[in-house]
Amino acid sequence: MCDISSKLVIVSGPSGAGKDTIVGGLLEIDDSFSLSVSATTRPPRLTEKNGENYYFLTVKEFEDKIAQDGFIEYAKYGSNYYGTLKCDVEKRIQNGKTVILVIDVQGAAEIKKLYPGVLSLFIMPPSRDVLERRLRKRMTDSEADISKRMCIAKKEIAKSCEYDYTVVNDDLDKAVSQVYNIIKKEIK
Ligand code: 5GP
């Protein structure tokens, strides 16, 4: 693949920090942004659609894609695979878009190894309590899944110093505008 780092933006942060909502806000205000749709082996949540939120694959389909070198990066988060599809990102870049990757800290580290100049942002919840409350409010995950996600969140927050910018999401509009201004400043 050609050097695409100048057109990629990584957004990470614990599950429940509000990454997807913030990115949704960005897409509404600027159509030069495009969200990469990842593949996952996690089952879809009630409101999720195949090809829109994720490409929902079986483990066999995902592993076949790994063997075909179909991912820019992939990682295991909890017990499921998640991966950034080469073809999806390439298509969006060819269409002239700045491509946003909403990925976990392992995937972000892989992308940074491949493309050292890539812009990276970490979305931080205002506190652990707020994060847990947001995960519960989502009412989509089991109690065991929430505990697992809280445990992963702790490890992810410890890696936030490896990102170019950290944005605290205590006020959604403010966080969207901060992220927007950072991307506009850094990506020409
Ligand atoms: P969720 O199950 O809440 O949709 O996602 C769980 C975690 O996987 C989140 O931190 C999300 O950003 C991350 N994730 C989503 N897509 C990808 C991907 O393509 N690669 C990696 N490494 N992580 C991803």
Side-chain angles (χ1 to χ4, degrees):
M1 201 189 295
C2 59
D3 179 23
I4 58 171
S5 60
S6 62
K7 285 291 175 193
L8 284 184
V9 180
I10 297 172
V11 176
S12 297
S15 179
K19 305 175 298 264
D20 295 320
T21 316
I22 290 173
V23 170
L26 292 179
L27 298 176
E28 268 178 29
I29 54 180
D30 193 330
D31 68 2
S32 70
F33 297 145
S34 182
L35 173 65
S36 157
V37 178
S38 296
T40 183
T41 57
R42 163 170 81 60
R45 298 188 180 122
L46 280 178
T47 55
E48 290 180 329
K49 291 198 178 76
N50 191 38
E52 239 174 67
N53 303 89
Y54 283 106
Y55 294 99
F56 294 99
L57 305 183
T58 62
V59 171
K60 163 92 171 70
E61 286 167 337
F62 199 104
E63 288 177 345
D64 284 349
K65 244 186 204 320
I66 297 174
Q68 294 153 10
D69 199 24
F71 293 109
I72 300 179
E73 64 71 37
Y74 68 91
K76 254 199 167 163
Y77 174 99
S79 47
N80 291 302
Y81 280 123
Y82 293 80
T84 306
L85 291 159
K86 266 186 192 171
C87 55
D88 186 87
V89 170
E90 278 172 345
K91 183 185 72 193
R92 290 169 202 277
I93 288 187
Q94 276 158 14
N95 288 336
K97 304 289 185 184
T98 296
V99 180
I100 303 179
L101 308 177
V102 183
I103 59 178
D104 82 328
V105 294
Q106 307 167 74
E110 285 306 306
I111 298 271
K112 282 192 232 170
K113 258 191 250 158
L114 279 174
Y115 308 113
V118 71
L119 174 64
S120 61
L121 292 93
F122 192 90
I123 308 298
M124 188 74 86
S127 69
R128 193 187 149 83
D129 282 355
V130 171
L131 184 68
E132 191 162 348
R133 235 178 291 139
R134 285 183 189 160
L135 285 175
R136 286 186 191 288
K137 210 168 147 198
R138 203 153 73 178
M139 288 188 299
T140 49
D141 302 322
S142 67
E143 208 42 50
D145 200 30
I146 291 170
S147 319
K148 211 187 290 170
R149 282 172 187 260
M150 286 302 294
C151 184
I152 297 173
K154 199 172 162 193
K155 293 184 192 143
E156 289 185 313
I157 289 169
K159 299 257 178 197
S160 60
C161 54
E162 294 173 12
Y163 286 71
D164 298 320
Y165 292 89
T166 296
V167 172
V168 179
N169 181 20
D170 52 359
D171 174 291
L172 181 62
D173 290 340
K174 202 168 113 202
V176 170
S177 131
Q178 280 178 337
V179 171
Y180 180 77
N181 290 333
I182 291 167
I183 299 176
K184 281 298 183 188
K185 184 173 85 160
E186 297 286 350
I187 298 219
K188 303 292 173 208

